[in-house]
Amino acid sequence: MSQLQTSEARNPGLTLKSVKNLGNFKVLIAYALAVLIFIAGQIISPGFGEFSNIMNVLNISALLGFIALAQMLVVLSGGEGIDLSVGAMASFGAVMSSQIIGGLDGNLPLAILIVLAVGFLIGCVSGIGISYFKVPPLVMTLAMASVIQGGALVYTNGQPKGMASPLLKELGTGRTAGIPNLVFLWIVVAVIVAVFLTRTKWGKLLYGLGTNRLTTELSGVRTRVVRTVVYGASGAISAISGMMLLSYTGTAFLDIGATYMLPTIIAVVIGGIALTGGLGSYNGTVAGAILLTSLSSILITLNISEGGRQIVYGIILLLLLIAYGRQKTT
Amino acid sequence: MQLLEAKSLRKSYGGVMALRDGNLICKQGKVCGLLGANGSGKSTFSKMISGVVKPDGGEIWFDGERLNVANPQEAKKQGIIMVHQHLSLVPELTIWENMTLGSEPESAMGFMKDQQSREIAQTYLSKFSPELSIDEKVKDLSLAQKQFVEIAKAISQKPKLLILDEPTAPLEQSEVEKLFAVMRELKANHTSIIFISHRLWEIKTICDYVVVFRNGETVGAIDFETEAKDENLIVSMISGKEHRHAKDNASASSAIQSEKMLEVRELMLRKSKDRVSFDIKKGEVVGLGGLQGQGQEELLLVLSGLIQPKQGQISLGGKKLKLRHPKHAVREGMVLVPGDRHKEGLFLQHDVLLNLIFPQFATKKTGFFLNMKKLKAEANEVIGQVNIVPNDPGKVVQYLSGGNQQKVVVGKWLPLSPKVLLLSDPAKGVDIGAKKELYDTVRKLAEQGTSVLLYASDHEELMDICDRVFILFEDQIVDELMPSDYSEQRFVAASLRSAKAAGN
């Protein structure tokens, strides 16, 4: 109580606006850093800062951005929420899509339906384990990641068949007016997510659940059901993101999504989503995805190997967590 | 001969005086009863003697020397051991392991001598429960058995001064007798005991003298060896004898005529055998009084749907309710203002707006897409009704004062026009002005037909606002006070005498 009063005395003018600005500040920094990277890249390796390369980077950013959306929803829902199975789920989504589509546009609708449904159901299993059987999210989703990986192996007999259809390929690699089609799709998704989070009942429930589970429960919300659905949604989004990965690469391989797991967490944190849940927006995650992809891109330009990049990712995540702290706890 | 003397002990927590002037003399081989209402400072006082809390001022003399202990371990070395109300046993360990934990006999090599530990444990445990095996795990014990283990553990360390904080709370009559037998044995061995209890008959049975605390001060002592065991005198010392009929007529009369709203039948709270039954009329404000922790909060939580009762029936406006989740209660219009607003009532990091509109999401009042303009207008209306300052829906709740935060917790239910408002100590940590506004709001709701069930730890709040008050004791309604009965003394007497009645 007294602590609260003193903090009030210290921050008499701190309103929602300035809190929001704080979030926006992180987003601005992320964009500024991305711009800096392109400028530095242009100096080191002429051509890096050109429009077409920037579009390349955005194209890849979109892939990360889709999977990071799945991660963001889970982190936002609080309760130490984290989904370590997004990478495996994306891989599974990719190989499923590849086999169902088999290069034919006509199979697309069916593939989308099946991939979404399977992703949702598998995600719900994680959600049930976490909200009804009280398995910590970290452990639950790690275990599920292993199950999904194994499942993909069984499903494909170790060798994914099929490939993307022409239409899907056009979506993943084609450009309209010089801008990658995936980027257009990403913009549409971002707008939908923004509306969902700020203008719908479920968006508000997600923020409430992430901030304070007990208050949400006492307001008459079945928080365990909501949490289960959130993990289900994460699964569905990860799986359909796998189809987007396929659209970019044309053919799927078994660990196509594996390298995205850690970057999704970093992108979410860069974007100002509190790992304790309940605060942040997709806008920030988008910025995080762009920053991280441009960083990765310049590291490749500098001939730094995959191992080196992983080291950089890990260090960035740690630095971010130290810098932003685990700000609030309820 | 005196073993311990405490002079003018003081302690404040962040500006709140918990203890102003605590004085006590412990005589060797005597049982001292420590009395006082909740919050009178007796707990803080005994924690100081046992080294848990460091005094801000005053002195403690023990065994002829100035006592200056920084923690319970040092106090233990001096021979002072306290058995706390909240037990500190390790559930996964056995009785004997628990009893010797922290004072295990060791061999020269530093290995533990288990056999010796077991013998010690057996000796002391059998004073209470000879039939109980020392190999039993503590998690499998009843509350009373745990209490015995805790006390046996304390005694096994041969204290000079033993402090027992409400040790009889989980005990039944026969078990209390067992405890008293052990206490008499300790007395015979010249051990001094400080005994805290709310049950007057226990005090009269076992204590050689009593010391009474009120509002953080020692207000007096009665030596039973030379003076009479006058129950009325004790009650008036505890209560301060202030007669109060503060209830104004404006608030008293409104509800009396109307129909039944909430009916509760044979409701079993927690595990006790006792049931609760009562009715509340439309627009009536009913208080829950009594000592702390007698089931008041549990009753409110059951009615809010958060915890499920073992048995019993709840009807609202003639309709039988099945409350398996807060959702069911909220949809029927029975809503809770919980006791801990930070943990249970608010989204601290979000703005007033989200907090005020949130409960509507659980009902069918809003569709999938939200009309933010309309919701914002509603929120503004609520802000005006309960007078949240500043009147800015965009303000983050964390930065509001405690009183204004509490207004948010109450205000968020207003758009649902609740039929029954459950309040759990809503004025805790709220300043006087906000408290008045809060209760004005509650009163106004009642006038519009909302029934109110209010638990408050402060008797005056209950007297100021309630049409009648139930006194709870051990999950049971043991008394009902009407406005004509209202006085501090009646409250204390009802709470304590009922304690006596239930103990017999």
Side-chain angles (χ1 to χ4, degrees):
Chain A
M1 204 35 250
S2 62
Q3 206 185 349
L4 205 80
Q5 277 163 346
T6 50
S7 77
E8 183 188 23
R10 241 182 286 125
N11 304 311
L14 199 51
T15 62
L16 180 70
K17 255 185 202 144
S18 48
V19 170
K20 261 188 183 158
N21 286 342
L22 205 68
N24 286 339
F25 185 62
K26 289 178 186 169
V27 177
L28 277 180
I29 284 186
Y31 281 122
L33 283 175
V35 170
L36 268 181
I37 285 173
F38 282 111
I39 293 170
Q42 177 68 15
I43 295 167
I44 297 164
S45 159
F48 188 87
E50 278 174 14
F51 180 77
S52 71
N53 188 52
I54 293 176
M55 286 305 129
N56 263 336
V57 169
L58 284 183
N59 202 352
I60 304 171
S61 304
L63 296 171
L64 173 58
F66 292 137
I67 310 182
L69 169 61
Q71 188 68 264
M72 184 197 79
L73 291 179
V74 165
V75 173
L76 210 50
S77 76
E80 304 285 312
I82 199 159
D83 192 344
L84 300 187
S85 67
V86 291
M89 187 68 94
S91 301
F92 193 37
V95 297
M96 256 196 299
S97 306
S98 166
Q99 300 211 162
I100 297 169
I101 294 168
L104 299 173
D105 282 337
N107 291 337
L108 266 179
L110 180 72
I112 291 173
L113 266 178
I114 292 181
V115 165
L116 280 176
V118 170
F120 182 76
L121 288 178
I122 296 178
C124 282
V125 173
S126 294
I128 288 169
I130 288 159
S131 45
Y132 291 89
F133 297 99
K134 309 273 179 264
V135 184
L138 203 76
V139 180
M140 185 73 213
T141 56
L142 190 61
M144 283 309 284
S146 169
V147 171
I148 297 163
Q149 252 165 11
L153 209 59
V154 172
Y155 176 67
T156 59
N157 272 324
Q159 187 58 56
K161 289 173 268 302
M163 57 160 116
S165 65
L167 192 64
L168 190 61
K169 258 185 145 156
E170 176 60 26
L171 172 70
T173 54
R175 297 191 176 193
T176 305
I179 296 170
N181 293 334
L182 270 186
V183 172
F184 284 113
L185 180 65
W186 196 17
I187 293 171
V188 172
V189 168
V191 170
I192 292 174
V193 172
V195 170
F196 173 80
L197 287 179
T198 56
R199 293 279 183 275
T200 73
K201 184 158 138 174
W202 273 77
K204 300 286 181 191
L205 287 185
L206 190 61
Y207 280 113
L209 175 61
T211 313
N212 191 332
R213 191 197 68 82
L214 201 50
T215 300
T216 309
E217 183 94 4
L218 279 168
S219 302
V221 177
R222 289 185 173 277
T223 55
R224 290 195 288 194
V225 175
V226 176
R227 198 183 295 289
T228 302
V229 172
V230 168
Y231 279 88
S234 170
I237 293 168
S238 301
I240 202 74
S241 301
M243 188 185 280
M244 297 302 114
L245 292 181
L246 176 70
S247 79
Y248 186 72
T249 56
T251 51
F253 48 97
L254 274 171
D255 57 355
I256 187 169
T259 51
Y260 285 93
M261 204 283 291
L262 190 61
T264 58
I265 300 173
I266 304 175
V268 162
V269 174
I270 291 178
I273 305 254
L275 274 189
T276 40
L279 293 173
S281 68
Y282 187 50
N283 176 17
T285 305
V286 169
I290 293 174
L291 172 58
L292 209 54
T293 311
S294 22
L295 182 69
S296 151
S297 180
I298 199 171
L299 292 178
I300 293 171
T301 308
L302 292 173
N303 273 328
I304 291 173
S305 65
E306 172 69 21
R309 298 206 297 275
Q310 295 282 350
I311 294 174
V312 173
Y313 287 163
I315 291 173
I316 292 175
L317 180 57
L318 286 176
L319 289 180
L320 279 173
L321 291 181
I322 293 166
Y324 292 167
R326 305 207 50 180
Q327 292 127 328
K328 57 105 211 184
T329 36
T330 317
Chain B
M1 202 180 90
Q2 75 188 50
L3 176 68
L4 176 137
E5 180 170 11
K7 290 184 201 162
S8 332
L9 292 188
R10 275 189 290 118
K11 181 76 196 176
S12 61
Y13 294 101
V16 180
M17 270 288 189
L19 193 67
R20 223 180 296 274
D21 187 10
N23 298 283
L24 180 108
I25 291 175
C26 273
K27 301 177 208 166
Q28 185 129 38
K30 302 282 184 196
V31 177
C32 167
L34 197 52
L35 304 180
N38 295 318
S40 59
K42 59 186 193 306
S43 227
T44 308
F45 182 83
S46 43
K47 280 179 186 159
M48 283 179 188
I49 296 176
S50 59
V52 179
V53 171
K54 209 174 151 47
D56 292 343
E59 34 189 82
I60 304 172
W61 291 82
F62 185 71
D63 228 359
E65 278 174 52
R66 178 84 187 264
L67 185 75
N68 199 357
V69 290
N71 56 51
Q73 284 69 37
E74 282 183 32
K76 198 186 267 182
K77 269 188 210 140
Q78 299 280 330
I80 302 173
I81 298 182
M82 176 163 175
V83 177
H84 293 272
Q85 217 175 332
H86 302 288
L87 304 179
S88 58
L89 302 171
V90 184
E92 289 298 332
L93 295 183
T94 62
I95 292 179
W96 73 266
E97 283 168 330
N98 262 292
M99 284 183 61
T100 50
L101 196 65
S103 52
E104 298 91 342
E106 288 176 4
S107 69
M109 298 283 291
F111 289 103
M112 291 187 254
K113 294 180 172 171
D114 283 356
Q115 195 47 45
Q116 202 181 329
S117 297
R118 294 173 57 91
E119 278 163 22
I120 294 172
Q122 188 64 62
T123 313
Y124 286 95
L125 183 67
S126 58
K127 287 179 191 290
F128 295 96
S129 301
E131 74 287 353
L132 199 60
S133 159
I134 55 167
D135 291 314
E136 199 94 39
K137 278 197 178 164
V138 160
K139 65 174 177 185
D140 299 325
L141 303 182
S142 72
L143 211 53
Q145 286 170 327
K146 283 182 195 161
Q147 182 68 272
F148 280 154
V149 172
E150 187 90 39
I151 297 172
K153 175 183 174 178
I155 295 173
S156 73
Q157 290 159 22
K158 304 199 173 67
K160 292 181 196 163
L161 172 62
L162 179 66
I163 305 171
L164 300 172
D165 189 3
E166 294 197 46
T168 55
L171 303 185
E172 290 183 10
Q173 178 68 19
S174 59
E175 295 163 333
V176 173
E177 298 291 355
K178 250 185 234 169
L179 173 64
F180 284 179
V182 175
M183 286 170 71
R184 288 191 186 101
E185 193 184 317
L186 287 170
K187 265 176 69 173
N189 292 327
H190 308 291
T191 305
S192 303
I193 299 172
I194 294 178
F195 177 74
I196 301 175
S197 170
H198 284 299
R199 296 170 177 167
L200 283 182
W201 76 270
E202 292 177 356
I203 300 286
K204 290 197 303 192
T205 309
I206 192 71
C207 295
D208 299 303
Y209 61 104
V210 295
V211 174
V212 181
F213 276 66
R214 190 173 71 233
N215 295 334
E217 279 177 275
T218 310
V219 289
I222 306 172
D223 190 343
F224 288 159
E225 285 167 315
T226 55
E227 294 165 65
K229 297 179 180 178
D230 182 349
E231 211 169 279
N232 285 329
L233 177 64
I234 296 173
V235 168
S236 65
M237 278 171 79
I238 293 172
S239 69
K241 250 189 177 169
E242 290 158 20
H243 291 273
R244 267 185 59 110
H245 289 279
K247 186 133 175 55
D248 51 46
N249 297 332
S251 60
S253 51
S254 54
I256 313 302
Q257 74 292 0
S258 58
E259 77 261 35
K260 268 185 211 166
M261 178 56 88
L262 178 68
E263 283 175 74
V264 171
R265 289 287 170 276
E266 297 286 314
L267 196 64
M268 194 162 110
L269 309 167
R270 296 188 282 200
K271 275 185 183 158
S272 83
K273 316 177 278 292
D274 301 317
R275 316 290 171 86
V276 177
S277 298
F278 60 89
D279 292 332
I280 298 182
K281 289 179 198 145
K282 197 174 173 202
E284 193 178 24
V285 181
V286 174
L288 298 173
L291 301 167
Q292 272 171 29
Q294 303 301 322
Q296 298 97 333
E297 282 155 300
E298 284 74 12
L299 174 59
L300 295 178
L301 288 178
V302 164
L303 290 175
S304 74
L306 189 69
I307 56 178
Q308 275 68 54
K310 293 264 176 283
Q311 271 178 330
Q313 266 181 33
I314 300 163
S315 316
L316 190 64
K319 183 182 165 194
K320 232 182 184 180
L321 299 186
K322 277 207 177 119
L323 303 175
R324 288 185 311 272
H325 189 274
K327 179 181 188 167
H328 301 129
V330 170
R331 287 200 168 166
E332 295 296 338
M334 184 147 63
V335 302
L336 173 72
V337 173
D340 185 335
R341 58 178 167 270
H342 288 178
K343 280 196 187 131
E344 303 163 343
L346 291 169
F347 303 113
L348 277 179
Q349 295 82 13
H350 287 281
D351 55 8
V352 171
L353 177 65
L354 180 77
N355 278 278
L356 287 181
I357 63 180
F358 200 83
Q360 302 190 32
F361 303 151
T363 65
K364 291 186 174 124
K365 266 194 85 173
T366 59
F368 179 75
F369 286 102
L370 301 174
N371 182 346
M372 290 309 287
K373 217 178 198 173
K374 187 172 147 248
L375 289 170
K376 206 166 180 171
E378 270 181 16
N380 272 320
E381 199 179 316
V382 171
I383 288 173
Q385 277 172 342
V386 297
N387 191 26
I388 294 167
V389 183
N391 60 354
D392 171 13
K395 184 97 177 168
V396 173
V397 168
Q398 188 164 15
Y399 304 118
L400 294 178
S401 71
N404 282 297
Q405 289 181 348
Q406 193 64 287
K407 288 180 204 166
V408 173
V409 184
V410 175
K412 71 177 181 178
W413 297 118
L414 297 188
L416 300 183
S417 332
K419 290 182 194 150
V420 179
L421 182 64
L422 310 164
L423 298 140
S424 181
D425 219 353
K428 193 166 53 185
V430 166
D431 64 88
I432 293 175
K435 186 192 278 192
K436 189 180 173 306
E437 285 175 344
L438 199 67
Y439 281 134
D440 284 348
T441 305
V442 170
R443 211 55 248 188
K444 216 184 292 168
L445 279 173
E447 274 155 30
Q448 288 158 14
T450 302
S451 306
V452 178
L453 193 56
L454 165 73
Y455 163 59
S457 52
D458 180 355
H459 295 152
E460 289 192 18
E461 286 171 31
L462 293 175
M463 289 189 272
D464 281 346
I465 183 170
C466 296
D467 297 318
R468 58 200 166 105
V469 177
F470 298 137
I471 303 292
L472 270 77
F473 187 79
E474 292 181 353
D475 299 350
Q476 225 182 339
I477 294 177
V478 291
D479 209 344
E480 183 179 340
L481 303 182
M482 305 304 286
S484 54
D485 305 327
Y486 286 178
S487 71
E488 183 68 25
Q489 191 162 12
R490 265 310 299 267
F491 268 83
V492 173
S495 306
L496 292 179
R497 287 207 179 118
S498 53
K500 169 189 150 192
N504 280 324

